[in-house]
Amino acid sequence: MDEFENIIFEIISNGGNAKGLSYEAIACAENGEFDKAYELLKQADESLLKAHKIQTSILQKEASGDHYEVNVLFVHAQDHLMSAMEIRVLAENLIKINKRLFDIEKTIKLD
């Protein structure tokens, strides 16, 4: 495996980690575990930041004339990262909605 493939797998790994943490955060929110949900989102953010830094370094190298061959694996990594970023945003919104619902249920004492 060459250096570029290793870089690609780092993007995929960090993106996948962020995606999994985001889904886990949603599940925690559905159970009313909001502190844990927000902690998981912070961990997802750390993975996304790692992946984004790798992506940025690739873009900087490309801009300076160091070209990489675009292949299906690289396209997959980019797609994986973008979907992880979108799921992270969606997770935050779902957590907020669940928090509001839990607060309303507490107020009106629904079981």
Side-chain angles (χ1 to χ4, degrees), residues 7-68:
I7 291 169
I8 291 169
F9 281 114
E10 282 292 314
I11 293 171
I12 292 169
S13 175
N14 283 297
N17 189 46
K19 194 182 294 188
L21 289 164
S22 296
Y23 282 125
E24 192 176 340
I26 293 168
C28 286
E30 289 172 350
N31 294 321
E33 301 172 62
F34 299 105
D35 289 339
K36 185 174 180 182
Y38 283 114
E39 178 56 37
L40 289 165
L41 286 185
K42 286 181 189 174
Q43 292 174 28
D45 288 342
E46 291 169 11
S47 289
L48 287 173
L49 182 60
K50 288 177 188 175
H52 185 68
K53 284 182 179 180
I54 295 165
Q55 180 188 47
T56 300
S57 72
I58 291 170
L59 293 172
Q60 288 172 338
K61 287 180 182 179
E62 184 75 25
S64 69
D66 189 4
H67 300 290
Y68 292 105

Side-chain angles (χ1 to χ4, degrees), residues 29-107:
E30 289 172 350
N31 294 321
E33 301 172 62
F34 299 105
D35 289 339
K36 185 174 180 182
Y38 283 114
E39 178 56 37
L40 289 165
L41 286 185
K42 286 181 189 174
Q43 292 174 28
D45 288 342
E46 291 169 11
S47 289
L48 287 173
L49 182 60
K50 288 177 188 175
H52 185 68
K53 284 182 179 180
I54 295 165
Q55 180 188 47
T56 300
S57 72
I58 291 170
L59 293 172
Q60 288 172 338
K61 287 180 182 179
E62 184 75 25
S64 69
D66 189 4
H67 300 290
Y68 292 105
E69 181 181 331
V70 175
N71 58 36
V72 174
L73 191 58
F74 181 65
V75 172
H76 173 68
Q78 293 297 104
D79 183 52
H80 203 56
L81 178 57
M82 291 307 300
S83 69
M85 293 169 77
E86 288 300 318
I87 290 166
R88 165 49 181 93
V89 171
L90 178 64
E92 185 169 9
N93 288 320
L94 289 172
I95 291 167
K96 287 177 185 177
I97 290 168
N98 273 292
K99 177 77 170 99
R100 288 176 61 198
L101 288 173
F102 270 75
D103 290 345
I104 290 168
E105 288 175 352
K106 250 195 285 187
T107 302

